[in-house]
Amino acid sequence: MLSIKNLHVSVGDKPILKGINLEIKPGEIHAIMGPNGSGKSTLSHILSGKSGYTVTEGSATYQGKDLLEMPPEIRAREGVFLAFQYPVEIPGVSNVYLLKAALNSIRKHHGQSEVDAMDFLTLVKGKVRLLEMDEKFLYRAVNEGFSGGEKKRNEILQMAILEPKLCILDETDSGLDIDALKIVSEGVNSLRSPDRSFVMVTHYQRLLDYIKPDFVHVLANGQIVKSGGAELALELEEKGYSWLEDAEASA
Amino acid sequence: MAKANSSAYVERYADVASSLCGQTVPWLQQQRADAILQFTEYGFPAIRDEDWRYTNVSVLDKQHFAMAQKSVSAVITADWLKAYQLVDAWSLVLVDGYFSAEHSVLADLPEGVTVMSLAKALQDAQYATVLEGKINGAVSQDENGFVAFNGAYFVDGVLIHVPAKLQVSKPIQVLHIATQELTAINTRSVIVADELSEVQLIETFAGLECAYLSVAVTEVFVGQNANVTLHKVQVESEKAIHFGGTYVKQARDARFRHDNFALGGVLVRSDVHTDLDYASECELNGLYLGVKRQHIDNHTRINHLKPHGISRQLYKGVLDDRARGVFQGRVVVAEDAQKTDSQMNNRNLLLSSDAEADTKPQLEIYADDVKCAHGVTVGQLDEKSIFYLQSRCVDEETARNMLTFAFANEMVDKVKIKSLHDLILGQVLTRFPQEGINKEWL
């Protein structure tokens, strides 16, 4: 699905990622954890195509294609989805309009015709119920005036409708209370499938209580310093990150 | 001594004066005489006048516009008018400033409601009496050179009168159409809504693809506790020069709303001035879209004369290419106007490095217990929003179009008359790149 090899990324002259290696196979859930400033968000941004970063070395191959060469919208149409840490408010563009535009872009990209209006509404309304959202959300401007929890739920709603292959969740649990976290997690879990992979970038272990990862990687100072199974997250919760950073420093 | 740019109009005034409407109305004859004197002395506005510092009309020095004559244009057919004329409204059509009975739709007006040609009204003693004190009653001849020019030269226009306590069931549209190359069109409109009445009005300005000067002055009198909404849809030809002045007097508890869509013309100035009495409210909305070399100037003035008045203003501009947009908003709160609540906002979106926005909000407050705020922004599209849309499969160009459209659409969405909303939306969309904004999905 995704193969990242020796990826080095800078912002201006400042190196942020210093040789990331990561293999993600279909159906796997990978959690990327690490302290603030470790490069977690940079990793999710570079995978989704945000500008302002320079790749100085290495590669990221998605389904056999050079991911880093693609403009963001092509990545999205190819099935890469970034759930934002801070979803952007877009006044004047309704949720339903954006969903339809996005879905039709994907269909067009794959040589399919535009979605039928009735089928589309049936699909969207079903997903809205799944995420326990009010249908009124569909007709409101994208994220405008939404609470933190509503914005995150809206991200998952988009994900559920666009059915991506590679989902990158950037700090999805930040700013969520426990009820919203449960709903979001259930939404994500319902999307798990053998051909869909997830990269969850998170500072806290809490999210992993609800979405169980197959692998946990610890990012520190731009490198993956430790990888393991779900139990690694618990160890981090207990000990914090400093022991890894210390270990790295002394190594 | 006449100014260079006005002398030709002054010299030729005597030739046309006797053919202008209202010959039998002495007070109007006096007003016209005063107007031409005023215009002779001051001419068209110059940029040294603070209210005109951003808008240079000296092109009127170089180009003379002959007074438009009454004519029948074969091009203006019912079919042509469809693009502008609302089907679910009464409409009065003025072609080159003159009333066109043929194109107007005025049957079955509610009893007591008057919608008629101003020239006709002036021929009838009953209506002429209504008009006395109304023409030049909401604006003074010395307001600016265009008002004086119009006061001297207007050939026709409309009188709309809504009697007390009547809610007019359908909107009333006044449709101004220009058809003649290099002509000047002068119209004067008087709108009177008596106490407790309610009416929705539309003024539309359109024309054939030619250069002309359109000068329209509208005076509005909103009676006690009456409610008037006036939409202005300015879609003049690409080469047109447009001056439109809307001057309003609001009585106690009166409500007035003005939605100003400035989409057409090459050199455009719009004045919206209103005087608020005790506890009256006004809402002034505007959307100006400038492309190529369009220059669109919006000038508002709200005079809070008495306590408890409320005013809200939101003007939004989208400027591309070498277009220039101006917003000058002035709110004056008189010493007596305590508890005034006023907000003024102007937001500009610049789409090209050669586009320009000049914005000048002014608050003049002489009372000490008021709530007044203003805010202006001039900016570009938000890169974070563009990336967000891209990450949702939308290509960059479409994302830019979507965001630009959304910015403008906030103003279109305020229009609650469905047919008018759709008409304006269509006009706005033709001014945006079509691709990416799929109307059917909106």
Side-chain angles (χ1 to χ4, degrees), chain A residues 48-50 72-73 76-77 81-82 84 88 90-93 97-98 101-102 104-106 114 143 155 158, chain B residues 382 384-385 387-396 402-403 405-407 409 435-442:
Chain A
S48 55
K50 190 175 185 185
E73 65 272 21
R77 293 171 195 170
F81 184 94
L82 171 66
F84 282 61
V88 181
I90 318 264
V93 177
Y97 183 93
L98 178 59
N104 278 328
S105 301
I106 293 174
E114 285 193 357
N143 294 323
E155 296 289 287
Q158 294 172 351
Chain B
D382 175 29
K384 278 200 293 248
S385 303
F387 175 65
Y388 187 77
L389 292 175
Q390 282 183 287
S391 77
R392 298 299 175 256
C393 310
V394 179
D395 66 84
E396 186 180 340
M402 259 189 189
L403 292 169
F405 174 75
F407 178 85
N409 194 38
E435 203 174 347
I437 300 165
N438 193 327
K439 193 178 170 188
E440 282 65 48
W441 301 351
L442 295 172

Side-chain angles (χ1 to χ4, degrees), chain A residues 20-250:
Chain A
I20 301 282
N21 290 290
L22 195 59
E23 286 291 329
I24 297 172
K25 295 196 172 64
E28 291 178 352
I29 297 192
H30 290 246
I32 312 277
M33 303 186 69
N36 290 329
S38 58
K40 298 189 304 284
S41 278
T42 300
L43 183 60
S44 56
H45 289 161
I46 197 83
L47 292 176
S48 55
K50 190 175 185 185
S51 61
Y53 300 93
T54 314
V55 177
T56 52
E57 212 182 323
S59 66
T61 310
Y62 168 72
Q63 294 193 315
K65 293 173 190 165
D66 183 353
L67 183 69
L68 304 176
E69 279 296 303
M70 298 180 204
E73 65 272 21
I74 301 299
R75 299 181 197 202
R77 293 171 195 170
E78 288 277 343
V80 178
F81 184 94
L82 171 66
F84 282 61
Q85 181 178 7
Y86 303 110
V88 181
E89 297 192 9
I90 318 264
V93 177
S94 74
N95 251 331
V96 71
Y97 183 93
L98 178 59
L99 286 169
K100 203 165 184 180
L103 188 61
N104 278 328
S105 301
I106 293 174
R107 293 176 66 94
K108 198 174 163 196
H109 187 71
H110 294 293
Q112 295 165 310
S113 61
E114 285 193 357
V115 63
D116 172 79
M118 290 304 291
D119 293 348
F120 174 74
L121 274 183
T122 310
L123 167 75
V124 170
K125 288 182 177 174
K127 303 294 184 188
V128 163
R129 275 192 295 278
L130 179 75
L131 287 158
E132 298 179 35
M133 291 169 75
D134 190 329
E135 268 184 31
K136 283 184 200 140
F137 271 78
L138 290 172
Y139 302 98
R140 281 173 58 183
V142 178
N143 294 323
E144 192 184 31
F146 287 23
S147 70
E150 288 166 345
K151 284 179 182 171
K152 296 294 170 81
R153 254 190 272 183
N154 202 29
E155 296 289 287
I156 306 303
L157 173 70
Q158 294 172 351
M159 197 165 92
I161 288 161
L162 302 180
E163 301 189 319
K165 298 194 182 72
L166 175 64
C167 307
I168 304 161
L169 310 181
D170 189 4
E171 306 270 5
T172 289
D173 55 335
S174 67
L176 288 188
D177 62 31
I178 202 75
D179 292 333
L181 183 65
K182 278 180 188 166
I183 294 166
V184 165
S185 304
E186 280 163 22
V188 172
N189 285 327
S190 73
L191 290 169
R192 292 184 75 159
S193 89
D195 54 5
R196 181 173 292 134
S197 311
F198 291 84
V199 177
M200 293 191 295
V201 172
T202 180
H203 187 85
Y204 303 105
Q205 188 268 342
R206 188 178 66 151
L207 179 67
L208 309 183
D209 290 341
Y210 297 93
I211 308 171
K212 194 170 175 295
D214 301 305
F215 301 95
V216 174
H217 309 279
V218 181
L219 196 61
N221 194 26
Q223 288 181 317
I224 291 176
V225 294
K226 196 169 175 64
S227 294
E231 70 286 347
L232 178 58
L234 296 170
E235 203 176 337
L236 288 168
E237 181 76 356
E238 203 177 304
K239 297 187 186 171
Y241 290 111
S242 54
W243 63 283
L244 286 167
E245 286 172 323
D246 295 346
E248 188 206 10
S250 61

